[in-house]
Amino acid sequence: MEINKKPKIFIHSWIPEGLKSKLEKHFSIDQHDASEVVLSGDNLLKRVQNVDGIIAQAPIIDKNILHSCPNLKIVSNVAVGVDNIDIETCTKMGIQVTNTPRVLNDAVADMSMALLLAVARRVPEGDRMVRAGEFKGNPYPLLWGADLRDENLGIIGMGSIGQDVAKRAMPFGLNIKYYNRNRVRKDIESNLNAELLSLKELFQTCRYIVILCPLTTETKHLIKSNELNLMRKDSFLINIARGPIVKESDLIEALENKTIAGCALDVYEFEPHYDLRLSKMDNVVLAPHAGSASVRARTGMVELAAKNIEAFFLRNEVLNPVNNIK
């Protein structure tokens, strides 16, 4: 392929140098390492308006951006969730969207259990105590936490990651309950000893609830005061999916009123901003959207996003399609 015929690709992501060099053999590459700053508005538009493809980690690819990119043919998202991309407009414009499923399953499932254990056993409280020099001995009532064995774990979103969380939870003696748009196969239910519940039943009966569903128009504010008021007073909410699934102001009210026992959050409704009241609560564990932040997962996600670009332009294939382009 002649140099002046190379498709132009904008990479809004960290990428290994070896992989970038490989892509440069077939594509004209412009990269912005999004590790520090996520481009938006005019700053993003200046970099993408003449490109043929985008590898996108975090930027908002909305209708305004899409209509300003006449040559754009594909957006390869470095994530499973694609709520940062206007899928409907992409489909209408014939722009392919791809994502990176499966490569981050282990990392997110591990982090889900890490957050659950951290909030249940009050790990951050103990860490802060020791660092502040307040550990003076081990009095018997110190930092009693919640037990896991024989308690119900409710999983909202029983896709492949939800199933991996269930596999990790079973050895802790947790009973697996789940809510999903569609019932999973009977053999999966049997292997995980998992029971399908309505959302109301799940909130009423589960001590631990982990959110793993995608953010859509249907799941935005899926959990607000009505749902939180159904939860057990000794229950914990863990959100590692997307922030807007939970109405943050209602969650804070539930925590302040002791409607629930605590929560662990990896994502926030107005990310990266969050209500500072959360940081002052001992029964809250906070993480910086790090669910997939393992070496293997983050590297694998970028590699798969690059493979989607290569397959689309070099072989006229689509490895991980999100939308259907005819």
Side-chain angles (χ1 to χ4, degrees):
M1 185 179 293
E2 296 177 11
I3 294 178
N4 62 353
K5 296 294 184 181
K6 288 182 178 181
K8 296 179 181 178
I9 307 297
F10 176 61
I11 302 175
H12 185 283
S13 175
W14 167 86
I15 188 170
E17 281 301 318
L19 179 56
K20 183 179 178 182
S21 298
K22 179 186 175 186
L23 289 173
E24 286 174 333
K25 295 177 182 178
H26 303 286
F27 306 100
S28 176
I29 299 295
D30 175 27
Q31 183 202 2
H32 170 75
D33 188 335
S35 300
E36 297 294 332
V37 177
V38 175
L39 296 181
S40 62
D42 290 341
N43 292 325
L44 178 61
L45 183 57
K46 289 175 184 177
R47 303 289 287 270
V48 300
Q49 57 188 353
N50 293 314
V51 303
D52 299 287
I54 300 173
I55 294 178
Q57 186 270 310
I60 303 299
I61 310 294
D62 59 17
K63 187 179 297 185
N64 292 332
I65 293 291
L66 293 167
H67 283 302
S68 300
C69 299
N71 301 325
L72 186 62
K73 302 173 183 65
I74 180 173
V75 179
S76 181
N77 210 36
V78 188
V80 175
V82 289
D83 47 280
N84 59 312
I85 301 169
D86 186 335
I87 303 297
E88 182 179 355
T89 298
C90 283
T91 303
K92 289 179 180 178
M93 295 178 64
I95 298 170
Q96 182 69 63
V97 180
T98 61
N99 65 347
T100 58
R102 293 177 291 280
V103 293
L104 69 167
N105 282 23
D106 284 338
V108 176
D110 289 347
M111 187 65 163
S112 298
M113 289 303 301
L115 290 173
L116 189 157
L117 289 164
V119 72
R121 294 302 306 271
R122 304 171 66 177
V123 174
E125 285 184 74
D127 179 81
R128 289 191 295 269
M129 177 183 291
V130 174
R131 290 176 187 273
E134 297 172 358
F135 176 44
K136 305 298 183 182
N138 187 24
Y140 201 62
L142 180 66
L143 292 181
W144 284 15
D147 293 300
L148 275 67
R149 182 165 297 280
D150 297 325
E151 295 287 358
N152 290 342
L153 167 63
I155 298 174
I156 299 177
M158 196 62 151
S160 59
I161 298 177
Q163 293 168 32
D164 284 343
V165 170
K167 292 172 186 175
R168 285 158 172 76
M170 290 174 69
F172 285 92
L174 285 160
N175 304 313
I176 308 303
K177 314 295 180 181
Y178 77 96
Y179 170 81
N180 203 52
R181 182 172 54 184
N182 300 304
R183 187 168 195 161
V184 301
R185 298 195 320 262
K186 289 185 177 180
D187 62 306
I188 295 174
E189 282 189 343
S190 177
N191 290 337
L192 299 176
N193 196 22
E195 180 184 5
L196 175 67
L197 299 179
S198 70
L199 199 57
K200 181 179 180 179
E201 291 172 327
L202 185 140
F203 282 123
Q204 290 175 324
T205 61
C206 293
R207 189 170 193 186
Y208 302 98
I209 296 174
V210 179
I211 305 169
L212 289 161
C213 59
L215 174 62
T216 65
T217 54
E218 290 77 21
T219 62
K220 182 177 181 180
H221 289 175
L222 179 70
I223 300 172
K224 47 193 182 301
S225 20
N226 287 343
E227 290 71 31
L228 292 162
N229 287 331
L230 292 172
M231 291 175 64
R232 295 166 45 172
K233 289 190 178 298
D234 64 351
S235 65
F236 299 90
L237 183 69
I238 297 98
N239 189 4
I240 196 168
R242 288 293 186 268
I245 295 170
V246 179
K247 190 173 181 181
E248 195 166 285
S249 59
D250 288 0
L251 174 62
I252 291 170
E253 183 179 353
L255 292 164
E256 290 177 336
N257 294 337
K258 302 189 185 315
T259 303
I260 63 174
C263 73
L265 305 174
D266 187 44
V267 290
Y268 307 88
E269 184 174 1
F270 305 105
E271 193 171 308
H273 307 290
Y274 68 98
D275 194 308
L276 292 178
R277 286 177 290 176
L278 290 167
S279 65
K280 298 174 183 177
M281 298 179 181
D282 282 336
N283 58 341
V284 173
V285 176
L286 304 175
H289 201 145
S292 64
S294 76
V295 174
R296 183 185 301 168
R298 287 284 170 92
T299 303
M301 290 162 67
V302 174
E303 290 174 344
L304 183 52
K307 288 179 180 177
N308 278 315
I309 289 287
E310 290 177 319
F312 182 84
F313 284 106
L314 303 182
R315 300 188 299 278
N316 196 28
E317 297 176 357
V318 180
L319 300 180
N320 306 106
V322 171
N323 56 346
N324 183 21
I325 301 298
K326 296 180 180 179

